[in-house]
Amino acid sequence: MKKQIKNEKTFCPDKINSYFRIEWLPLLFVTLSGVFYNVGLLATPWFEGRLAQRLADILNGDKNAESMVILVVAYLAVTLAVQLARFVKRFYVRRFANNVNRRMKGVLYANLVRQSRVSLEKEGVGELMTKAISDVDDCVEGMRKFTTEIFDTGVVLVGYIVMLFVYDWRLALLSLIFTPISYFCAAIMKKPVQRAGATYKKAASALSGETVDRAQNAVTYRIYGCEKTREDLYGDALNNYEKNAIRNNIWQSALPPLYLALSGAGVLFILWFGVKNVLGTGWNTWDIAAFTTFLSCFTKLTVKSSKVAKLFNSVQKAEVSWKRIRPLMKSPEPLGPLQIAEPAEVTIDNLSFAYDEEPIFSGLSLTAKPGDIIGVTGAVACGKSTFGRTFLCESPYGGSIRFGKRELSDLPPREIASTVGYLGHDPELCADTVQNNVLCGSEEDIMPYLCDMALKDEVLSMENGVETVIGNNGVRLSGGQAQRLALARTMAHPRPIMVLDDPFSALDRSTEDVIFAALQDYAKDKVVFLISHRLYHFPQMQKVVFMENCKTIVGTHDELMQTTPTYRSLYESQTGEKQNEED
């Protein structure tokens, strides 16, 4: 136990040898059973030789059938013991592989969830799926085969070679000439195999991305008649995947038989010089048992040699996968309970943001104190959502956002998470119960949050109430229900800065009134940035940010009604209210 704890502390997830070291106990059982099994395999050719000789003796009348029975029983007993050791070895090899697979995926997932949304979106869903599933599996499979073949190939090969040299060292040297040549050929093929594997991985990632896209947007493509175009794109990705998969399989599967044939060419020498030994005209004097044992040893050795070639292929495949996932294999930061920051003023000074030097907005300055609700609005694609995401500090921004006296972008990611609450366009609901989607594992009472969102009666009318499973992304809910459930989750996890991106877009006016009243009470000790196209409640907000043509205008609702005709027109068109010209 102490050794296990020590290994955990020194574990480096970006080093392959750390995974072997931390799984020392199953590897110990693998070693003991593997040595016994593979040394025991050497008994097989010996028994085969003895049985062939005993049969010849019986036919010549020198031995009786009872001696054959005794030999067969001994052979079966040894075989049973050897196979039992094989079972133990394989059990612990699989256990080792399962432990490593679980550990690798745990490290990978822990690092993925700590990455920013921008970096995840940039990498692509297909690439992430391939790394998280296929690459880890291929890497672990390479480690498993390496661990297995150390014994199943390495130890037994040494044993077979020793037996060959014991029976006739000259013939052993001669027949084994071709074996190192096959290894050399396998080493030469390493780079082509790796290139084919890397290309195949990229094609698999692209196909995964296209598959996810087809599943998520199938209805949209059907409605707007884009199915043919998307089918062509999917077909291209599928054809590219098939071509690279075939090419990769050729390199992976077609070469080992060639290595086997090359290694087995030495049997010609055995048949020629081995017969001379039996006839008494060769380098040694053999009986039938010796000849059969030597030939059996060599045949089994060549078969095992082909496993070495397969091992090379598996290891090379694992190396390709390891290179892809290694940048993500870092010791994840331990996540303790979030220490929610105390309320403080938010000061924004000359804030700006640009994508690849293309400005989205600039010149935004304001100060908000706890209790303020700041409305943010403007035309479509004017930068409202981008402004909201600047508080997450996923990309560098210009100017300054200070929370209290500290620059927001200077805070560690964990501290930003304890300072900023964010609700985006997508509700991002889980395939879990209503209660778990809102409380995320906390022991609070869910009902106050459902009441604030005018959602209590709707949830209680579901078949299992708050324990009803709503499906991935709230597939069982209407758009308004999903939006309110996500807002309930946001309110159940308060932060001193709350950014709400268009939370009322799918709601009717009366429901919006109820929720906004709850939001006003909720925001008494918080700064809330409410991004919305719906301006009904903007007169009740402390300040309004209006975004237009990459510029921002900040003021109260009344000030913007007087100074900004576009804002005034938007408000009047939604509410039907006309501002007196004298005002």
Side-chain angles (χ1 to χ4, degrees), residues 145-444:
K145 286 189 175 180
F146 175 79
T147 304
T148 301
E149 298 304 331
I150 283 179
F151 300 102
D152 284 4
T153 301
V155 173
V156 77
L157 275 181
V158 171
Y160 286 146
I161 291 172
V162 170
M163 284 190 72
L164 292 178
F165 273 81
V166 167
Y167 277 86
D168 190 330
W169 65 270
R170 298 178 185 85
L171 184 53
L173 285 176
L174 193 61
S175 59
L176 290 174
I177 287 176
F178 296 100
T179 301
I181 295 176
S182 68
Y183 295 163
F184 178 73
C185 292
I188 292 177
M189 293 295 104
K190 178 179 179 179
K191 288 186 177 180
V193 169
Q194 286 183 333
R195 281 197 299 267
T199 306
Y200 165 72
K201 290 292 184 182
K202 290 180 181 179
S205 299
L207 182 62
S208 296
E210 286 292 335
T211 303
V212 171
D213 176 75
R214 290 273 293 171
Q216 289 181 338
N217 303 308
V219 175
T220 302
Y221 295 150
R222 184 169 65 249
I223 291 173
Y224 292 102
C226 303
E227 287 182 303
K228 183 63 172 66
T229 303
R230 301 310 303 182
E231 284 177 4
D232 291 342
L233 291 173
Y234 187 80
D236 291 342
L238 185 58
N239 289 335
N240 186 48
Y241 170 80
E242 289 177 346
K243 290 178 182 178
N244 285 288
I246 291 171
R247 187 179 296 113
N248 184 57
N249 281 334
I250 289 174
W251 286 111
Q252 294 286 342
S253 305
L255 293 177
L258 298 179
Y259 302 147
L260 176 59
L262 186 59
S263 295
V267 76
L268 299 174
F269 296 111
I270 297 175
L271 294 176
W272 179 260
F273 292 100
V275 169
K276 287 189 173 184
N277 283 348
V278 174
L279 296 174
T281 58
W283 292 309
N284 282 310
T285 302
W286 282 356
D287 56 12
I288 294 176
F291 177 80
T292 304
T293 300
F294 193 94
L295 182 60
S296 177
C297 268
F298 181 79
T299 303
K300 295 178 186 300
L301 183 146
T302 54
V303 172
K304 288 295 181 181
S305 296
S306 69
K307 297 288 184 66
V308 174
K310 287 184 179 180
L311 176 61
F312 285 167
N313 287 344
S314 297
V315 170
Q316 287 154 17
K317 190 176 181 181
E319 285 178 355
V320 172
S321 296
W322 179 247
K323 287 178 182 178
R324 285 164 52 82
I325 64 175
R326 187 174 183 180
L328 294 171
M329 304 302 290
K330 302 173 183 176
S331 295
E333 173 192 356
L335 298 179
L338 285 172
Q339 302 297 321
I340 307 303
E342 294 295 323
E345 278 192 348
V346 176
T347 304
I348 300 175
D349 183 25
N350 197 30
L351 183 67
S352 63
F353 191 88
Y355 285 117
D356 297 326
E357 301 183 357
E358 180 181 348
I360 305 300
F361 67 85
S362 61
L364 176 54
S365 298
L366 63 84
T367 299
K369 60 183 184 297
D372 286 350
I373 299 179
I374 312 298
V376 182
T377 192
V380 175
C382 65
K384 301 184 298 297
S385 295
T386 301
F387 164 70
R389 286 197 295 270
T390 58
F391 287 90
L392 302 178
C393 302
E394 294 176 332
S395 300
Y397 55 77
S400 172
I401 304 176
R402 290 194 302 278
F403 176 69
K405 296 182 179 180
R406 302 179 68 185
E407 184 64 32
L408 198 62
S409 61
D410 292 340
L411 302 180
R414 194 69 173 156
E415 198 166 338
I416 292 175
S418 67
T419 303
V420 180
Y422 177 80
L423 174 63
H425 284 299
D426 186 354
E428 296 186 358
L429 300 174
C430 306
D432 206 337
T433 63
V434 170
Q435 176 159 301
N436 287 341
N437 268 281
V438 173
L439 299 181
C440 299
S442 72
E443 300 296 328
E444 290 184 79

